[in-house]
Amino acid sequence: MNNLDLKNPKPGLVEDSTFFALDVERNIFKNDYHNFDYYINNLDLKNPKPGLVEDSTFFALDVERNKMVGAINIRHKLNDYLLNYGGHIGDGVRPSERKKGYATKIIGLALKECQKLNIDKVLLVCDKDNIGSAKSIKNNGAILENEIVKDGKTIQRYWIEIE
């Protein structure tokens, strides 16, 4: 896991596209994976409709094993909903690759991408009961700002300042 890299999604990049799409948290992806070329070619939102924001999606490749272990979605700015409930970064790690430190490293790489986008203060959120996500966020220097309740779930809001 020492050599993890973020890759721009493109057809042929993932060893088993359907398995990967099913295996990673779907909540960071917007498209139906059944037509995988369309799915890959339309992950990034470049010209958002009203109420949405521009974003970029990357797959996380364990270079040594040549295996996709997760994915990250970076929102280029925050609307009201994202400010409260979504944050700048959404990530997912394959269930078979969890508890190996990938989420911490993926978030660290995403922060470098945020820096390229001139985002100097990054918001990350997670459900309070998702101990693994909170740990990965805090491992990257995040500070808990507050907790809010939405639909009976407590959401923790963390900020990371990028230097």
Side-chain angles (χ1 to χ4, degrees), residues 16-44:
D16 181 345
S17 57
T18 303
F19 176 73
F20 183 69
L22 285 170
D23 203 22
V24 174
E25 301 284 341
R26 284 193 212 149
N27 61 351
I28 69 169
F29 300 123
K30 299 170 278 296
N31 301 312
D32 182 1
Y33 60 86
H34 289 95
N35 179 345
F36 201 69
D37 285 348
Y38 177 85
Y39 170 85
I40 290 292
N41 291 321
N42 291 280
L43 280 175
D44 291 351

Side-chain angles (χ1 to χ4, degrees), residues 32-128:
D32 182 1
Y33 60 86
H34 289 95
N35 179 345
F36 201 69
D37 285 348
Y38 177 85
Y39 170 85
I40 290 292
N41 291 321
N42 291 280
L43 280 175
D44 291 351
L45 191 54
K46 297 296 182 195
N47 298 304
K49 297 176 184 174
L52 300 177
V53 300
E54 189 174 349
D55 67 8
S56 301
T57 300
F58 300 91
F59 289 167
L61 174 70
D62 180 327
V63 177
E64 293 168 3
R65 295 172 32 205
N66 193 35
K67 182 173 184 175
M68 291 297 166
V69 296
I72 196 102
N73 178 263
I74 301 170
R75 294 87 179 206
H76 298 192
K77 63 181 183 176
L78 300 176
N79 58 22
D80 288 340
Y81 180 84
L82 293 172
L83 180 62
N84 287 302
Y85 310 114
H88 285 100
I89 297 173
D91 70 302
V93 175
R94 281 182 145 163
S96 62
E97 301 300 326
R98 292 182 183 159
K99 298 183 181 180
K100 297 179 182 179
Y102 284 116
T104 296
K105 187 134 184 176
I106 291 169
I107 291 170
L109 292 170
L111 292 171
K112 291 178 183 176
E113 294 297 324
C114 287
Q115 193 171 33
K116 293 177 189 176
L117 294 167
N118 295 315
I119 304 170
D120 56 0
K121 191 172 181 185
V122 179
L123 175 66
L124 295 103
V125 303
C126 68
D127 290 346
K128 185 175 184 171

